Amino acid sequence: MAISGAHYGQVVFGCEVREDGTTDGHLTVAFDGEDFLSFDKKDLRWISAVPEAQTVRQKLDNDRDMNQVWKQKLENDCLNRMEEYYQYSKPTFQRQSRPDVSVSYRRDVGGRALLSCLVTGFYPRPIEVTWTRDGNTVHEVESSGVLPNHDHTFQTVKQMELETGSAGEQGFSCLVEHSSLQGVLEVPWDGKTGRTPAGSTSWILGLIIGALLVSGIVGILFWKRKRERKGPGTHQYNRPSSEESGQVSDDQPQEPGASEERRMEERS
């Protein structure tokens, strides 16, 4: 196989222990992101995924000693290494975090009435969340899938659309099954639709009130700072115009030196 230019190869080597105790190992090779070769440890041979891999496959099949080494690594070395790593991470893998479950009612932007079941904070990842009505499973549900949280736990949301006229009715429950629970956790909906309908402007009002409070506080601090800069008991006076400079009243403050200049004029 003649190739030119830049290319890249990938090798995936791994093993697994299934729940029933059986084990398996795999060794695959990819070329430019596409499957290229895989190793059959049982028959000690390579399997080509594309015609271009035939030449390489034949060369690898002829190296029986190396294929025996790959079999040994997959069936023994990989499993031993995995068991060693598992012991270091055992507290993490075996920890159990109970889920927090909450049920809520809302209307989306399209006006649909939705019941949502939020399940969060659980570990490990596998979980079952279902909606029921009068004990019967509701199959028409929407799921967010299982998503990670910032603290290495998981969350998921299951929501269902209420039929017209069903809002306020009883009998809806969210059922959660998880390894951290002793049994099935049932959280019923109390039939309350909440006080905040879709399109409510209460959040806008809150923002406006918050902005007014902040601007008022900033104004007070600015006024106080300006007053402190002037100092206590200081006032500003306007200097008299040129027409009034010759007259000084008793109740008008005089500039420094003004009285002395007046006395000198009288003497002259």
Side-chain angles (χ1 to χ4, degrees):
M1 181 176 64
I3 58 175
S4 61
H7 301 271
Y8 61 92
Q10 295 169 293
V11 177
V12 178
F13 178 93
C15 52
E16 62 178 321
V17 179
R18 302 187 183 95
E19 293 184 359
D20 59 1
T22 59
T23 63
D24 193 15
H26 54 271
L27 173 60
T28 58
V29 179
F31 183 76
D32 284 347
E34 302 291 337
D35 290 339
F36 192 70
L37 288 167
S38 60
F39 180 61
D40 182 355
K41 62 184 180 65
K42 182 180 179 181
D43 296 331
L44 295 180
R45 67 187 184 93
W46 290 83
I47 301 172
S48 56
V50 292
E52 292 81 3
Q54 289 291 345
T55 303
V56 180
R57 179 192 62 79
Q58 292 175 0
K59 291 182 178 180
L60 294 175
D61 283 346
N62 291 334
D63 193 348
R64 301 290 294 181
D65 292 338
M66 190 65 217
N67 290 338
Q68 191 66 45
V69 172
W70 287 123
K71 179 181 175 68
Q72 169 70 22
K73 287 182 176 298
L74 288 172
E75 292 184 345
N76 296 286
D77 297 351
C78 180
L79 294 172
N80 294 336
R81 188 71 59 85
M82 185 172 62
E83 180 64 25
E84 179 184 352
Y85 292 158
Y86 176 75
Q87 294 302 322
Y88 292 126
S89 306
K90 201 171 183 179
T92 300
F93 290 124
Q94 292 184 343
R95 73 185 176 97
Q96 297 283 331
S97 297
R98 289 173 55 89
D100 294 323
V101 185
S102 60
V103 174
S104 61
Y105 167 91
R106 70 181 181 88
R107 286 189 177 272
D108 64 6
V109 292
R112 296 187 306 163
L114 301 174
L115 280 183
S116 297
C117 181
L118 169 63
V119 185
T120 186
F122 58 88
Y123 188 91
R125 188 178 188 276
I127 195 168
E128 290 291 334
V129 181
T130 55
W131 271 106
T132 62
R133 181 177 187 181
D134 298 327
N136 300 315
T137 301
V138 179
H139 298 285
E140 295 77 17
V141 297
E142 300 174 8
S143 175
S144 66
V146 179
L147 305 174
N149 287 326
H150 70 282
D151 57 355
H152 305 293
T153 62
F154 297 92
Q155 64 166 296
T156 186
V157 177
K158 290 286 184 73
Q159 65 180 20
M160 57 169 289
E161 182 178 357
L162 288 176
E163 299 175 359
T164 304
S166 297
E169 293 184 4
Q170 304 291 329
F172 295 97
S173 294
C174 179
L175 274 56
V176 179
E177 298 179 65
H178 189 255
S179 59
S180 64
L181 303 172
Q182 298 298 326
V184 178
L185 175 61
E186 180 177 0
V187 180
W189 178 48
D190 56 10
K192 296 180 180 179
T193 59
R195 299 181 180 179
T196 308
S200 172
T201 57
S202 59
W203 65 276
I204 301 178
L205 241 133
L207 287 177
I208 295 175
I209 294 174
L212 289 174
L213 288 174
V214 171
S215 61
I217 294 172
V218 171
I220 293 173
L221 292 175
F222 180 78
W223 172 81
K224 186 176 180 182
R225 187 173 181 182
K226 188 175 181 181
R227 184 179 177 86
E228 290 175 351
R229 285 181 176 179
K230 294 178 181 180
T234 58
H235 301 279
Q236 289 184 338
Y237 299 100
N238 295 327
R239 178 175 296 181
S241 62
S242 57
E243 295 179 355
E244 300 174 347
S245 61
Q247 300 177 354
V248 180
S249 60
D250 294 337
D251 57 349
Q252 185 177 6
Q254 302 179 16
E255 296 181 4
S259 58
E260 185 66 26
E261 293 176 358
R262 184 179 179 84
R263 286 196 296 269
M264 291 179 63
E265 289 177 358
E266 292 177 351
R267 291 177 183 175
S268 60

